Amino acid sequence: MDYREVKAEVRRYQADMHARQRRVTLLHRTLREAEAERDRSVAAFAEFGQQHEGARDAASRRAIGRQLGVTHTAVKGMAERAHTRSQQGPVAATPLVPVLGADEAREYVESGALGDIARVLVAMFPGNILLESGLDPSAFANGTDIDVPHMLIQGTDGAAIGVEDCLAGYGGTGPSNTVRLLKELGFPVDVAREVCDYRFVELAPYRVVRAADAVHEIGGALELSSDGQHFISRVYSQRTYLPDGDVTAAGTVAAWCREVMDDPERYPWAAGERRARVYLDRDAAVSLNSGDLHRTTSNQYSVVIEQGRLQLWVAAYFPYNFADLLSTEQLHALDAASMRPEGIEPRTWLDRFLPRRRERPPFILISEDGQDLTYSPEGVAHR
């Protein structure tokens, strides 16, 4: 190999090591969660044994099946699926996109490691990069987050690298870094300077393909679920970044549905049955709200909308009045996803004097196929 080929191979190796380090972080996180789940399972088994001290011989798959309300064959199937899932990685088998500094990215491209540039995406808001890249969100996995860069360079062979500290949409340091990098990669000055005037810019080799302030109406910030297979977006009022957009949680849900969930061919990671859980009290929804910095005591996450590997955790008030099954905000979130259940209209003033059932379920399920969420917010994956 000549010097240029050797240099390109070195750059590819360095970028691959960067991605491998991020995957090691994901594996460590999965290991810790698996150990915690193991400890919980051992404790539950010990408790089960104590409760059935006099009938251990009957504690077979058949006995467990009777207790769960399923056949012992189904229990065997559950165990086999759990074993299969335990052999899977923490995220889908999608190559991680290396995220490099501007100088590293220039050297990477100049070395030939990326091949010819096919297009460059630069944005103020990373959600635009996520949705316009066409890549699975797991390609940007970083610890517990989906860490999407503000600049993405894609090669003609499908490879891609992200670039740190390069943005678009204003006249500050971030866009200035972008202008400098684009000029070093051979883009004309007038083309490069477009990133200072628009919040989203798509470039082909040495020309502007598209420049706009508004491309998508969602923030696009995603987290990894505890099983490493699903993507969670926390939706609350003021979530959208567009100054003239709908800043309510329901407005953001509508944007997710309109731009992503209603277009499964473009976003296969959000393809599937649309399902929802609506929580009826705070205690039942504690797993949604623990550790979130944006929650308040009065407005917590209480609605989960799932489609494919995407989940929207929506902040909506719990019912004010015991006579109301769902709050107005919860109904608005369901309306935005076209999931309002039949017969859920607010009750009349006379109905409020009539006795209600003594117990309320922790949540209600809404789905056409009658199934629960594929991934439970409590950390249990259903298959």
Side-chain angles (χ1 to χ4, degrees):
M1 294 191 296
D2 60 19
Y3 173 76
R4 181 178 176 82
E5 291 175 339
V6 172
K7 187 176 181 180
E9 187 63 28
V10 169
R11 294 301 177 192
R12 277 193 291 267
Y13 175 78
Q14 291 174 337
D16 182 62
M17 288 300 297
H18 185 278
R20 286 175 184 270
Q21 290 174 354
R22 289 165 56 198
R23 190 168 293 279
V24 167
T25 301
L26 291 172
L27 289 171
H28 278 304
R29 169 177 171 254
T30 302
L31 177 60
R32 290 194 300 270
E33 291 175 347
E35 290 175 341
E37 181 62 27
R38 177 203 61 195
D39 294 342
R40 287 193 292 269
S41 298
V42 170
F45 182 78
E47 182 180 357
F48 179 83
Q50 292 174 358
Q51 294 175 350
H52 298 78
E53 186 69 29
R56 286 190 175 183
D57 292 340
S60 60
R61 286 197 305 266
R62 190 180 302 277
I64 295 172
R66 285 197 298 269
Q67 183 165 334
L68 296 176
V70 297
T71 66
H72 69 283
T73 304
V75 174
K76 180 179 179 181
M78 294 176 190
E80 291 174 348
R81 288 194 296 275
H83 177 69
T84 300
R85 288 198 301 272
S86 68
Q87 296 176 333
Q88 297 175 348
V91 295
T94 301
L96 291 174
V97 172
V99 180
L100 310 175
D103 291 336
E104 294 174 318
R106 174 183 54 78
E107 294 176 359
Y108 188 89
V109 174
E110 290 178 346
S111 71
L114 185 68
D116 295 331
I117 294 178
R119 68 170 178 166
V120 178
L121 302 176
V122 193
M124 177 180 287
F125 309 121
N128 291 314
I129 302 293
L130 171 67
L131 298 185
E132 289 297 314
S133 69
L135 297 173
D136 189 282
S138 60
F140 303 104
N142 186 12
T144 60
D145 297 322
I146 304 299
D147 191 7
V148 184
H150 295 265
M151 182 176 184
L152 190 73
I153 305 176
Q154 294 179 295
T156 53
D157 62 353
I161 60 172
V163 186
E164 296 177 326
D165 302 325
C166 287
L167 293 83
Y170 60 102
T173 302
S176 297
N177 290 339
T178 307
V179 172
R180 177 176 60 85
L181 176 58
L182 291 174
K183 288 166 59 179
E184 292 173 345
L185 295 178
F187 284 80
V189 176
D190 59 333
V191 172
R193 289 191 179 280
E194 290 290 296
V195 301
C196 296
D197 298 328
Y198 297 94
R199 296 182 178 182
F200 175 83
V201 178
E202 178 183 358
L203 305 172
Y206 318 120
R207 64 184 180 89
V208 176
V209 175
R210 181 171 38 151
D213 277 333
V215 177
H216 295 285
E217 297 181 20
I218 61 173
L222 295 175
E223 306 167 16
L224 274 174
S225 61
S226 62
D227 70 347
Q229 304 293 329
H230 293 76
F231 312 117
I232 297 168
S233 177
R234 297 176 183 266
V235 178
Y236 48 88
S237 296
Q238 304 294 334
R239 183 65 171 183
T240 180
Y241 297 99
L242 297 179
D244 56 348
D246 186 345
V247 298
T248 65
T252 305
V253 170
W256 270 107
C257 293
R258 180 175 62 253
E259 300 188 23
V260 177
M261 299 165 76
D262 290 344
D263 195 0
E265 293 186 2
R266 185 176 184 184
Y267 305 109
W269 44 274
E273 294 290 338
R274 190 172 299 181
R275 301 165 180 165
R277 269 193 195 182
V278 186
Y279 289 81
L280 303 184
D281 63 75
R282 291 178 175 80
D283 291 338
V286 65
S287 59
L288 274 71
N289 293 286
S290 59
D292 185 73
L293 300 177
H294 300 285
R295 67 186 179 92
T296 63
T297 55
S298 59
N299 192 10
Q300 299 183 347
Y301 300 112
S302 66
V303 179
V304 178
I305 298 171
E306 177 189 85
Q307 185 172 303
R309 295 160 61 204
L310 172 66
Q311 283 193 349
L312 308 180
W313 291 11
V314 187
Y317 291 105
F318 292 92
Y320 294 115
N321 193 306
F322 190 81
D324 295 327
L325 182 59
L326 301 180
S327 70
T328 301
E329 290 77 12
Q330 289 174 330
L331 289 175
H332 286 170
L334 295 175
D335 284 337
S338 301
M339 299 192 70
R340 178 189 283 255
E342 296 181 1
I344 206 70
E345 296 298 330
R347 305 177 66 194
T348 67
W349 66 272
L350 181 61
D351 290 334
R352 295 179 186 276
F353 292 97
L354 301 179
R356 288 288 303 265
R357 57 178 177 274
R358 294 181 180 273
E359 296 182 2
R360 293 161 62 92
F363 54 77
I364 62 172
L365 302 174
I366 304 171
S367 63
E368 291 187 2
D369 57 10
Q371 300 297 312
D372 196 358
L373 302 174
T374 304
Y375 171 76
S376 168
E378 287 75 32
V380 181
H382 304 292
R383 291 290 186 272

